[in-house]
């Protein structure tokens, strides 16, 4: 058993090395005063200053954050409604069909999705830019959020909603005081997953961006095509650190809001007749 655990730990370490070594290599040379990624000549913060002083880049970062926050919020709201509709579907065939339709955008290649959105927006006469990027991000974020919310609905005992109705709660009270508090962890998970996908999406966004509007992944790709610049390393490092902060913040938020399972029945009592 010890040998098996040792092999598993070594394998796990190797996996993390393969995943994080390129990122740390990129971060290391973002401080290189030599201007190349071949030999470290000295420590400098000039490339970080260059990134922070680039007005166009700051505007693109703001655009990316606005798109990510708006699309993930809208997608999560729609996903809650969609997950409830799938969960309440009584026919097994209908439920499976809805789940299959929900998973189409997840399993489909991003290039196909991006090209489809481009054709759709061209036919509909929607100008490529903020609106087209927002709609496409909402579309591919909804299935992700649904998959994060649906397991919490399936784990919820139906007796909770039945008890709330027996106590005289209306449908809206059952939804807001029983169902939503129980599936809240799934809602937050779906929101953050949609936010992450929106922040780092390139393939779909590349198809639906217009002239004069870009998101951060598209901008990094455009700059990388012009030649290797350590300002790209500095920008990628800042994005990576921001992502780490999001993950750590979500972890602590989830830990603080987690409650014992015994407290699950409390929303049911609150939804009924006043005590």
């Amino acid at each position: 058993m010890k040998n098996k655990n040792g092999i598993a730990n070594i394998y796990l370490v190797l996996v993390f090395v393969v995943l994080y070594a390129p990122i740390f290599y990129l971060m290391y040379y973002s401080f290189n005063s030599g201007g190349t990624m071949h030999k470290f000549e000295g420590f400098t913060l000039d490339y970080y200053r260059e990134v922070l002083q680039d007005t166009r880049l700051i505007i693109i970062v703001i655009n990316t954050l606005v798109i990510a926050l708006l699309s993930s919020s809208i997608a999560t709201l729609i996903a809650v409604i969609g997950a409830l509709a799938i969960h309440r579907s009584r026919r097994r065939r209908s439920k499976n069909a809805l789940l299959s339709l929900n998973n189409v955008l997840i399993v489909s290649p991003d290039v196909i999705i991006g090209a489809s959105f481009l054709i759709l927006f061209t036919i509909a006469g929607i100008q490529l830019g903020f609106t087209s990027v927002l709609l496409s991000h909402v579309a591919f974020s909804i299935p992700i959020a649904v998959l994060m919310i649906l397991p919490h609905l399936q784990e919820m005992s139906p007796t909770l909603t039945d008890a709330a109705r027996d106590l005289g709660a209306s449908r809206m009270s059952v939804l807001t005081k029983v169902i939503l508090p129980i599936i809240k962890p799934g809602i937050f998970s779906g929101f953050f997953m949609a936010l992450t996908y929106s922040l780092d999406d390139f393939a779909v966004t590349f198809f639906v961006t217009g002239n004069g509007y870009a998101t951060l992944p598209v901008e990094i790709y455009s700059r990388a095509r012009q030649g290797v610049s350590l300002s790209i390393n500095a920008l990628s490092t800042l994005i990576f650190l921001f992502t780490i902060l999001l993950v750590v913040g979500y972890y602590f938020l989830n830990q603080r809001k987690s409650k014992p399972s015994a407290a699950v029945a409390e929303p049911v009592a609150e939804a009924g007749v006043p005590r």
Side-chain angles (χ1 to χ4, degrees):
M1 290 298 293
K2 290 183 178 179
N3 291 333
K4 290 182 179 180
N5 291 333
I7 295 174
N9 292 333
I10 293 174
Y11 177 76
L12 185 61
V13 170
L14 289 176
V15 169
F16 278 108
V17 168
V18 171
L19 289 174
Y20 285 96
I23 298 176
F24 289 117
Y25 178 81
L26 179 145
M27 295 173 65
Y28 175 72
Y29 278 99
S30 67
F31 301 101
N32 183 22
S33 60
T36 64
M37 296 182 66
H38 302 292
K39 183 179 179 182
F40 193 88
E41 298 181 3
F43 182 85
T44 182
L45 293 174
D46 291 342
Y47 302 106
Y48 289 90
R49 296 190 188 98
E50 181 180 337
V51 169
L52 296 177
Q53 292 174 359
D54 191 337
T55 305
R56 181 176 182 275
L57 185 60
I58 293 175
I59 293 175
I60 291 174
V61 171
I62 295 174
N63 290 339
T64 305
L65 291 175
V66 169
I67 286 290
L69 291 172
L70 276 178
S71 64
S72 53
S73 300
I74 297 172
T76 304
L77 179 61
I78 298 175
V80 171
I81 300 173
L84 288 172
I86 294 174
H87 179 67
R88 292 181 178 179
S89 179
R90 296 182 178 180
R91 295 182 179 179
R92 189 176 184 82
R93 290 184 178 180
S94 300
K95 181 177 292 187
N96 291 335
L98 290 173
L99 284 173
S100 300
L101 290 174
N102 177 76
N103 297 336
V104 166
L105 285 175
I106 297 179
V107 300
S108 298
D110 290 342
V111 175
I112 303 300
I113 297 173
S116 301
F117 280 129
L118 176 60
I119 296 172
L120 174 63
F121 295 143
T122 303
I123 295 175
I126 299 176
Q127 186 176 2
L128 299 182
F130 175 82
T131 304
S132 61
V133 174
L134 178 63
L135 291 176
S136 60
H137 280 223
V138 169
F140 69 67
S141 296
I142 291 174
I144 301 167
V146 168
L147 290 182
M148 301 302 294
I149 297 171
L150 198 55
H152 292 269
L153 283 172
Q154 293 173 344
E155 292 175 359
M156 182 181 66
S157 175
T159 57
L160 295 175
T161 55
D162 293 339
R165 293 193 183 101
D166 291 340
L167 291 171
S170 62
R171 290 186 177 181
M172 184 59 66
S173 297
V174 172
L175 176 64
T176 57
K177 295 183 179 181
V178 178
I179 298 176
L180 291 183
I182 293 175
I183 66 172
K184 187 184 295 183
I187 295 175
F188 278 105
S189 300
F191 173 81
F192 280 104
M193 286 294 292
L195 183 68
T196 304
Y197 271 76
S198 178
L199 285 173
D200 63 10
D201 178 74
F202 167 76
V204 176
T205 308
F206 182 77
F207 280 92
V208 297
T209 51
N211 295 328
Y213 188 87
T215 59
L216 207 50
V218 176
E219 179 67 15
I220 292 176
Y221 172 75
S222 301
R223 295 193 178 199
R225 291 183 60 188
Q226 299 173 2
V228 177
S229 173
L230 295 189
S231 61
I232 299 176
N233 292 38
L235 178 59
S236 302
T237 301
L238 293 175
I239 297 171
F240 178 74
L241 294 177
F242 176 72
T243 306
I244 292 296
L245 287 176
L246 280 180
V247 173
V248 173
Y250 169 71
Y251 173 78
F252 283 107
L253 184 65
N254 195 32
Q255 288 295 317
R256 290 185 61 182
K257 290 195 173 184
S258 61
K259 297 179 180 180
S261 57
V264 173
E266 184 64 22
V268 178
E270 295 179 357
V273 180
R275 292 174 293 179

